[in-house]
């Protein structure tokens, strides 16, 4: 059930992936999850228009190391700009480029990007085909539909495969549900049965047991873990068998690498957020979070970590 997977010649050590998470899956966090056993990790979603305009902050999202395989996620709705991004030097280090067609956030949808493309089949097909023409491996992440009264997972899966995608990831909720409710196993299964390319199932996977249920109910080729990794990146060890270091050591290594890459202020704010996730459910979590969000330097965050974990 949990085993290496090949995607258009790219071999991943297992079929349990870290999802792209806007605002969170920067390089140090991806590196942490890989070290714990994630079979493939994705950058947070990157604007192709931002890359076209040479935005420094956009480019910063694509920082990566020498590890392989690795994947980047992009979004946009202009086929020419999307293809140029795939052919550009910023995405050159990545083994797989994932096209976001599932983001439900209003700011993205209003621009005709993310899950808005599920309402425009002709444009979605052009975007995927243009990206595939770059010669890069291209995958697509999408939802099972826009609303409960129109679920289109199988239909959209066929569109993606026909346009040149070598893998799809299906989030088992409709756009209007955002992240609420249980995933629709039947719709993910319909997408799996509609195509011959690998299908990764996403939504509601918080543990190995959840992943086993997802795979048995859908027939998918793998699972993608999202929010569970923010609270407990050690979730990947349930599949890999890797013995993790103590959480304090993992946290401090992440903090130091984040500071080295992105600077003091970013690291302080970001690692306060991460620590708040990591302490959820622990005794004294409320007080720990109160003290964390008063911290003004990474040294203060580091000192608190010694007490929290």
């Amino acid at each position: 059930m949990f085993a290496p997977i090949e995607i258009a010649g790219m071999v991943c050590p297992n079929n349990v992936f870290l999802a792209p998470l806007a605002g969170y899956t920067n390089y140090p966090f991806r590196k942490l999850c890989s070290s714990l056993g994630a079979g493939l990790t994705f950058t947070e979603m990157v604007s192709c228009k931002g890359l076209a305009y040479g935005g420094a902050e956009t480019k910063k999202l694509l920082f990566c190391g020498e590890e392989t395989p690795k994947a980047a996620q992009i979004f946009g709705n202009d086929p020419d700009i999307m293809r140029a991004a795939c052919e550009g030097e910023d995405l050159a280090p990545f083994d797989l480029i994932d096209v976001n067609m599932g983001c439900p956030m209003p700011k993205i949808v209003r621009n005709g990007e993310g899950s808005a493309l599920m309402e425009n089949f002709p444009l979605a097909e052009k975007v995927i085909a243009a990206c595939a023409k770059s010669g890069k491996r291209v995958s697509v992440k999408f939802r099972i539909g826009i609303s409960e009264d129109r679920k289109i997972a199988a239909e959209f899966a066929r569109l993606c495969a026909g346009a040149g995608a070598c893998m799809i990831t299906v989030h088992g909720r409709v756009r209007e549900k955002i992240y609420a409710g249980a995933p629709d196993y039947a719709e993910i299964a319909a997408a799996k049965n509609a195509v011959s390319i690998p299908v990764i199932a996403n939504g509601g996977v918080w543990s190995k047991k959840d992943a086993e249920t997802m795979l048995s109910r859908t027939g998918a080729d793998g699972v993608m873990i999202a929010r569970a990794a923010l609270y407990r990146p050690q979730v990947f060890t349930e599949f890999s068998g890797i013995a993790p270091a103590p959480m304090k050591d993992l946290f401090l290594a992440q903090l130091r690498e984040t500071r080295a890459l992105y600077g003091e202020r970013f690291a302080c704010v970001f690692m306060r957020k991460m620590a708040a996730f990591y302490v959820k459910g622990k005794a004294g979590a409320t007080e720990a979070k109160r003290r964390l969000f008063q911290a003004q330097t990474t040294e203060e965050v580091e000192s608190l970590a010694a007490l929290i974990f």
Side-chain angles (χ1 to χ4, degrees):
M1 184 174 282
F2 303 111
I5 183 172
E6 182 176 336
I7 303 161
M10 177 184 76
V11 178
C12 302
N14 66 58
N15 56 350
V16 182
F17 298 167
L18 170 67
L21 293 163
Y24 293 101
T25 51
N26 55 36
Y27 178 64
F29 185 65
R30 300 196 310 272
K31 184 177 178 180
L32 169 63
C33 292
S34 292
S35 74
L36 296 170
L40 183 65
T41 66
F42 292 74
T43 68
E44 49 192 299
M45 64 179 192
V46 174
S47 167
C48 284
K49 288 181 181 176
L51 291 178
Y53 297 142
E57 291 304 308
T58 302
K59 289 173 179 284
K60 193 183 295 184
L61 301 176
L62 292 171
F63 185 91
C64 61
E66 297 301 317
E67 73 285 353
T68 187
K70 51 183 173 286
Q73 189 185 68
I74 59 174
F75 73 97
N77 61 10
D78 184 308
D80 293 332
I81 291 176
M82 300 284 278
R83 178 175 178 176
C86 290
E87 293 175 342
E89 63 180 17
D90 295 305
L91 292 175
F94 293 92
D95 303 285
L96 176 76
I97 308 301
D98 187 68
V99 181
N100 183 308
M101 294 193 176
C103 180
M105 294 299 104
K107 179 175 70 172
I108 300 296
V109 173
R110 281 195 299 268
N111 287 337
E113 300 166 330
S115 61
L117 287 161
M118 296 185 67
E119 299 181 274
N120 189 338
F121 274 39
L123 180 56
E125 186 173 29
K126 288 177 182 175
V127 165
I128 298 165
C131 292
K133 286 175 183 173
S134 70
K136 299 287 286 189
R137 294 183 190 87
V138 172
S139 63
V140 183
K141 188 171 188 287
F142 62 92
R143 287 175 173 253
I144 58 173
I146 302 302
S147 60
E148 290 291 335
D149 60 359
R150 185 163 184 254
K151 295 178 179 178
I152 56 171
E155 189 179 1
F156 203 76
R158 283 190 288 268
L159 179 149
C160 294
C166 65
M167 182 186 85
I168 57 173
T169 300
V170 185
H171 184 138
R173 300 182 180 97
V174 295
R175 183 173 77 195
E176 66 182 13
K177 292 288 188 180
I178 310 293
Y179 302 112
D184 188 324
Y185 299 120
E187 279 295 305
I188 299 174
K192 168 60 185 171
N193 293 332
V195 297
S196 59
I197 59 176
V199 175
I200 307 300
N202 176 223
V205 177
W206 292 84
S207 65
K208 186 175 183 180
K209 183 178 179 181
D210 291 337
E212 289 170 343
T213 299
M214 176 68 84
L215 293 184
S216 64
R217 296 281 296 274
T218 66
D221 300 289
V223 296
M224 186 175 278
I225 294 179
R227 288 175 294 158
L230 292 178
Y231 291 97
R232 192 170 64 91
Q234 300 97 319
V235 65
F236 292 106
T237 67
E238 295 181 19
F239 307 92
S240 67
I242 293 170
M247 189 64 235
K248 183 178 77 171
D249 295 345
L250 296 174
F251 177 81
L252 291 177
Q254 184 187 1
L255 184 151
R256 290 161 186 162
E257 186 151 19
T258 301
R259 181 171 57 203
L261 285 176
Y262 304 114
E264 167 68 21
R265 184 58 190 160
F266 176 91
C268 180
V269 173
F270 180 77
M271 293 307 296
R272 288 187 319 202
K273 290 192 302 182
M274 295 307 300
F277 280 117
Y278 297 159
V279 300
K280 184 177 174 62
K282 292 182 180 292
T286 300
E287 175 62 14
K289 286 191 279 189
R290 184 191 69 78
R291 293 178 66 184
L292 274 168
F293 285 104
Q294 290 179 338
Q296 296 300 309
T297 66
T298 54
E299 284 75 15
E300 290 178 67
V301 175
E302 197 166 339
S303 297
L304 284 169
L307 302 174
I308 292 169
F309 298 113

